[in-house]
Amino acid sequence: MLLMLYLIAITAEAMTGALSAGRRGMDWFGVVLIACVTALGGGSVRDVLLGHYPLTWVKHPEYLVLTSVAALVTIFIAPLMRHLRSFFLVLDALGLVAFTLIGCMTALELGHSMLVASISGVITGVFGGILRDIFCNDIPLVFRRELYASVSFVAAWFYLGCVHFNVPGEQAILLTLFGGLLLRLLAIRFHWEMPKFQYNDEH
Amino acid sequence: MLLMLYLIAITAEAMTGALSAGRRGMDWFGVVLIACVTALGGGSVRDVLLGHYPLTWVKHPEYLVLTSVAALVTIFIAPLMRHLRSFFLVLDALGLVAFTLIGCMTALELGHSMLVASISGVITGVFGGILRDIFCNDIPLVFRRELYASVSFVAAWFYLGCVHFNVPGEQAILLTLFGGLLLRLLAIRFHWEMPKFQYNDEH
Amino acid sequence: MLLMLYLIAITAEAMTGALSAGRRGMDWFGVVLIACVTALGGGSVRDVLLGHYPLTWVKHPEYLVLTSVAALVTIFIAPLMRHLRSFFLVLDALGLVAFTLIGCMTALELGHSMLVASISGVITGVFGGILRDIFCNDIPLVFRRELYASVSFVAAWFYLGCVHFNVPGEQAILLTLFGGLLLRLLAIRFHWEMPKFQYNDEH
C-alpha cells in the first residue's frame, strides 16, 4: 500500500514541478528535469545525507520514467489543471505525508535515533519542493505556505510516537496518513499559518 | 585522448563560469569558486548521487589548480573574450559532449543500467552549468538555450547505442563527439530550440 | 577547547541564519531550517563531498536541537540584535576560523593531501553561508564582503603550514584562531576587500 501511495505521490509531485517550470517558460527538457527533481529530490537528499546507497531512482530507474511521462502529460493537459486544483491539493498533501513516513522508516531501518528519523522524514517530505523552488529561482514556498513543513514535522513525530508505543506498523501508517492529511487540509481550508518572523535592519 | 578532451573541457567551462561571476561583480575568490563549481560540479553531483568516492578533484586536486588558474587568467583577458565568442562556443560544445561521455562511462563501469548511465551522462554534462546559475542567482540557462541539455541526452543515448551494438570503444567515442558537436553547432546556427511550456494561473 | 569553539560557532551561525530568514519574512519553521542549514551546512557539504559518514548532526543530533533553540531565541531577542552587532561580527569571525580549522583537520585525518585539506577547510568555513543565501534567494554574500572567504583560505594554509613545520597541535590551533580573527576584524574595520571582477557583454 505504501508503494502505491509512493507512486501516486511522485506522480503528483512531478506534475506540480512541471507546472512550476511552465510558469518560468522552460523548455520540455527543463520541465522533465524539474519534475524529476521535485518528485525524487527529497528522497535523494535524504539518502545522500544518510549515506544510504544506491539512491531510489538508481535502483528503480523506472520511477524516473514515470515522473518524466507525468511531466510530459502535464504539458498537454495543463489547460485542464486549473479545474483540478482541489484534487491536486489533496494528492499533494497525501504525497507530503507519504514521503514523510517513508523518510522516517528509512532512517529507523538504518538504525538511527528518533530525532534523526524525524529530520529524515521532514527532509524527504519537503526538500523536493525546496529544490524545485531553488531551480526555478523562487524563495522556497514551503516556508511561507499554510502549515506545509509543519505538517510533515507533526506527522513524523506522530508516526514515531506510534512506533515508540508499539502501535502495529500498518495501523501507525494509516493513522499518520489520515491525521496528516486532515491537518493539511484543515490548514488550507482555514488558512492556518505558522507565525512569521519579520526582521528589518539598516542593511 | 578523452583525458585531453576532459582537460580542455574543464578549462573552457571554468572560463564560462568566471565570466558569469564577472557579470555579477563578484570578487576574485568568488570568481575562482564559481569557475571550479562550473567545471567540476557536474562530475561531483554525479559521483555523490552514485556514491562513487573519492570525487575526481579529491583524487586529482591538480584539476582544481587548473580551473583556478583558468579563472584568474580569464579576469585578465576578459576584454578579449568578446572576440573569441565563437571559439568558446565550440569549446563549450566539445566540453558538453565530453562530459556526457565520461558520465555514461563512469556509470557503466560501476555496473549501472543504460537508463541510469544516460542520466549520469546528462547530469555530468549539464549540472556544472546549473550550479553556476544557481550560485549566481539566475534561472538555469540550460533549460532555455538552443538544444543544450537535449544534445547531452541525444549524445548519451547515441553512445549507449554504440556500446549496445558493440561498436569498438574508440570509434564510439569519436562518433559521439563529432555527432554531438555537429548537432550543438547546428542548433546554435539555426536557433533550433525545444518547444517551451508556458503556464499561467491566477497565482 | 575546539569543541567549545565549535558550539559557539554553530550557535552564532544559526543566529545569523535566523536573521536572514527574518529579512525574508519566513515562518518559524523556515527560520529554524535556515538556521540549521547555515550552522551545519558547511560541514555537511564537506562530509558528503569527502564521503565521510555519518555526518556530524546525524552522529550528534543534539547539535540540531542547539541550533533550533538558538533560532527560536533569535526570533524573540531580534530587537536587541541591532545593539549586539559588533559582538556578533566577532562571534561570526571566530566561527569562520573555527569551522575552517575543523574542516582542515577532518580532511587530514581522512588521509587527504594538503591541497584537499585546504579546500575542505574553506568549504566548511563558507558553505553554510552560501547555502543560507541560496535558500533565501540572494547572491551569496561571501563573495562580496570584506575578505570573508579569503580569511578562511589564508587561515587554512596558515594552519597547514604549522602542521607541515611540526608546530604542536594546540599552538597551531591557537595561532590560527588569533591570526584569522585579527585578519577578519582588520578587514571589517578598514573595509579591506578583494578586487572585484566586473564583466559586461552584449547579453
Side-chain angles (χ1 to χ4, degrees):
Chain A
M1 188 199 64
L2 208 59
L3 177 65
M4 258 307 266
L5 266 172
Y6 177 72
L7 295 180
I8 293 173
I10 59 174
T11 308
E13 294 302 318
M15 296 176 100
T16 70
L19 291 182
S20 275
R23 284 190 197 99
R24 292 294 183 156
M26 292 193 184
D27 68 25
W28 289 15
F29 204 96
V31 172
V32 167
L33 189 134
I34 300 285
C36 290
V37 165
T38 310
L40 302 166
S44 298
V45 169
R46 175 201 65 218
D47 286 343
V48 165
L49 291 177
L50 298 181
H52 177 233
Y53 291 102
L55 304 201
T56 314
W57 55 267
V58 173
K59 207 166 159 193
H60 297 287
E62 61 271 22
Y63 295 169
L64 280 172
V65 177
L66 174 65
T67 50
S68 303
V69 170
L72 294 173
V73 167
T74 306
I75 295 177
F76 290 100
I77 66 165
L80 293 171
M81 300 294 268
R82 263 171 263 269
H83 310 294
L84 297 171
R85 184 166 295 177
S86 327
F87 180 60
F88 260 86
L89 279 175
V90 176
L91 282 192
D92 179 60
L94 250 181
L96 174 67
V97 187
F99 281 175
T100 304
L101 275 170
I102 292 167
C104 290
M105 286 176 198
T106 306
L108 290 179
E109 270 165 34
L110 291 171
H112 290 297
S113 65
M114 292 238 163
L115 188 48
V116 171
S118 73
I119 307 296
S120 167
V122 174
I123 288 175
T124 313
V126 306
F127 251 80
I130 293 178
L131 289 177
R132 176 195 62 211
D133 293 340
I134 289 177
F135 275 58
C136 291
N137 204 16
D138 290 320
I139 300 181
L141 261 181
V142 291
F143 307 138
R144 307 205 294 181
R145 266 197 293 181
E146 312 89 349
L147 298 196
Y148 192 85
S150 322
V151 169
S152 175
F153 190 73
V154 170
W157 279 107
F158 183 85
Y159 175 72
L160 293 170
C162 289
V163 170
H164 184 70
F165 291 112
N166 295 313
V167 177
E170 202 158 305
Q171 284 178 38
I173 292 174
L174 280 176
L175 278 171
T176 311
L177 274 174
F178 282 108
L181 189 58
L182 190 70
L183 180 59
R184 173 81 181 116
L185 294 181
L186 286 173
I188 295 173
R189 177 68 189 78
F190 295 107
H191 298 291
W192 290 344
E193 293 195 354
M194 285 279 278
K196 300 260 188 312
F197 170 41
Q198 292 284 353
Y199 180 71
N200 291 298
D201 51 12
E202 305 80 350
H203 251 302
Chain B
M1 188 199 64
L2 207 60
L3 178 65
M4 260 305 269
L5 266 172
Y6 177 73
L7 295 179
I8 294 174
I10 60 175
T11 309
E13 294 301 319
M15 297 178 98
T16 70
L19 291 182
S20 274
R23 285 191 197 97
R24 292 291 182 158
M26 292 192 184
D27 68 25
W28 290 14
F29 204 96
V31 172
V32 167
L33 188 134
I34 300 285
C36 290
V37 165
T38 310
L40 302 166
S44 299
V45 170
R46 175 201 65 218
D47 286 344
V48 165
L49 291 178
L50 298 181
H52 177 232
Y53 292 102
L55 305 201
T56 314
W57 56 267
V58 174
K59 207 167 160 190
H60 297 286
E62 62 271 22
Y63 295 169
L64 280 172
V65 178
L66 174 65
T67 51
S68 302
V69 170
L72 294 172
V73 167
T74 306
I75 295 177
F76 291 99
I77 66 166
L80 293 173
M81 298 295 267
R82 264 171 263 269
H83 311 294
L84 297 171
R85 184 165 296 176
S86 326
F87 180 61
F88 260 86
L89 279 176
V90 176
L91 282 191
D92 180 61
L94 250 181
L96 173 67
V97 186
F99 280 175
T100 304
L101 275 170
I102 292 167
C104 289
M105 287 176 199
T106 306
L108 290 180
E109 270 164 35
L110 291 171
H112 290 297
S113 65
M114 293 238 161
L115 188 49
V116 170
S118 73
I119 307 296
S120 168
V122 174
I123 287 175
T124 314
V126 307
F127 251 82
I130 292 178
L131 289 177
R132 176 195 62 211
D133 293 340
I134 289 177
F135 275 59
C136 291
N137 204 16
D138 289 321
I139 299 182
L141 261 181
V142 291
F143 307 137
R144 307 203 294 181
R145 267 198 291 181
E146 312 88 350
L147 298 196
Y148 193 85
S150 321
V151 169
S152 175
F153 190 73
V154 170
W157 279 106
F158 184 84
Y159 174 72
L160 293 170
C162 290
V163 170
H164 185 70
F165 292 112
N166 296 312
V167 178
E170 204 159 303
Q171 285 179 38
I173 292 173
L174 280 176
L175 277 172
T176 310
L177 274 174
F178 282 108
L181 189 59
L182 190 71
L183 180 59
R184 173 83 181 114
L185 295 181
L186 286 173
I188 295 173
R189 176 70 188 76
F190 296 108
H191 298 293
W192 290 344
E193 294 195 354
M194 285 278 279
K196 300 258 188 313
F197 171 41
Q198 293 284 353
Y199 180 72
N200 291 297
D201 51 12
E202 304 83 349
H203 251 302
Chain C
M1 189 200 65
L2 207 59
L3 177 65
M4 259 306 267
L5 266 172
Y6 176 73
L7 295 180
I8 294 174
I10 60 175
T11 308
E13 294 301 319
M15 295 176 101
T16 70
L19 291 182
S20 276
R23 284 190 197 98
R24 293 292 183 157
M26 291 192 185
D27 68 25
W28 289 16
F29 204 96
V31 172
V32 167
L33 189 135
I34 300 285
C36 291
V37 165
T38 310
L40 303 165
S44 298
V45 169
R46 175 201 65 218
D47 286 343
V48 165
L49 290 177
L50 298 181
H52 177 231
Y53 291 103
L55 303 201
T56 314
W57 55 267
V58 173
K59 206 166 161 192
H60 297 286
E62 61 271 22
Y63 295 169
L64 280 172
V65 177
L66 174 65
T67 50
S68 302
V69 170
L72 294 173
V73 168
T74 307
I75 294 177
F76 291 98
I77 66 167
L80 293 172
M81 299 295 267
R82 263 170 264 268
H83 311 292
L84 297 171
R85 184 166 296 177
S86 326
F87 180 60
F88 260 86
L89 278 175
V90 177
L91 282 190
D92 180 59
L94 250 182
L96 174 68
V97 187
F99 280 175
T100 304
L101 276 170
I102 291 168
C104 290
M105 287 176 197
T106 306
L108 290 179
E109 270 165 35
L110 291 171
H112 290 298
S113 65
M114 292 239 162
L115 188 49
V116 171
S118 73
I119 307 295
S120 167
V122 174
I123 287 175
T124 314
V126 307
F127 251 81
I130 292 178
L131 288 177
R132 175 195 63 211
D133 293 339
I134 289 177
F135 275 59
C136 292
N137 204 15
D138 290 320
I139 299 182
L141 261 181
V142 291
F143 307 137
R144 307 204 294 181
R145 268 198 291 181
E146 311 89 350
L147 298 196
Y148 193 85
S150 322
V151 169
S152 175
F153 190 74
V154 170
W157 280 107
F158 183 84
Y159 175 72
L160 293 170
C162 290
V163 171
H164 185 71
F165 292 111
N166 295 314
V167 177
E170 203 157 305
Q171 285 177 37
I173 292 174
L174 280 175
L175 278 172
T176 310
L177 274 174
F178 283 108
L181 189 58
L182 191 70
L183 181 59
R184 173 83 181 117
L185 294 180
L186 286 174
I188 294 173
R189 176 70 189 75
F190 296 107
H191 298 292
W192 291 343
E193 293 197 354
M194 285 278 277
K196 300 260 189 311
F197 170 42
Q198 293 283 354
Y199 179 72
N200 290 298
D201 52 12
E202 305 82 349
H203 252 304

